[in-house]
Amino acid sequence: ADLIITHGGTGSVIEPLKKGKKVIACVRLKKYNEHVDDHQQELVEIFAREGYILELNPETNLDDLLVEIEKFKPKIFVSNNNRFIAKLTKRIDG
């Protein structure tokens, strides 16, 4: 797939970005009993603001986002996991 439309779960957003996919994300909210808290909202807002994804929310329209995604150039996502693991291993071993 060239485009992933997903909920705002961390793995659901980050994994496609690691593979260079375009992402449209919509959060699941506590007020609708879709989740236990609103952590997805913060994640999606930050990733959208930083230019990694497009956000589907009450102020946006999916049809408009599908047009926008065609020309959208997402910021390249670089995971820091390996660097974190190396630092942690060094700390534990040191």
Side-chain angles (χ1 to χ4, degrees):
D2 295 324
L3 168 64
I4 307 299
I5 301 174
T6 185
H7 72 109
T10 304
S12 298
V13 171
I14 291 177
E15 288 305 314
L17 290 176
K18 286 180 180 178
K19 294 176 171 68
K21 306 299 181 179
K22 293 181 179 183
V23 176
I24 296 175
C26 181
V27 301
R28 296 185 300 156
L29 298 171
K30 181 180 180 181
K31 71 181 180 181
Y32 300 124
N33 294 319
E34 298 169 331
H35 222 294
V36 297
D37 61 27
D38 290 333
H39 69 278
Q40 289 187 0
Q41 190 167 22
E42 183 177 9
L43 176 102
V44 169
E45 286 174 358
I46 291 169
F47 271 73
R49 183 175 57 241
E50 295 295 321
Y52 292 102
I53 67 172
L54 296 182
E55 177 183 4
L56 176 60
N57 60 43
E59 289 80 42
T60 58
N61 177 288
L62 182 58
D63 290 334
D64 294 338
L65 291 177
L66 291 172
V67 170
E68 185 178 346
I69 201 79
E70 291 296 321
K71 60 184 181 275
F72 179 67
K73 302 283 188 208
K75 187 174 178 179
I76 296 172
F77 179 79
V78 179
S79 173
N80 289 318
N81 284 353
N82 290 338
R83 189 169 63 193
F84 173 78
I85 291 169
K87 282 184 174 184
L88 181 61
T89 302
K90 184 177 178 181
R91 176 86 173 194
I92 290 169
D93 293 343

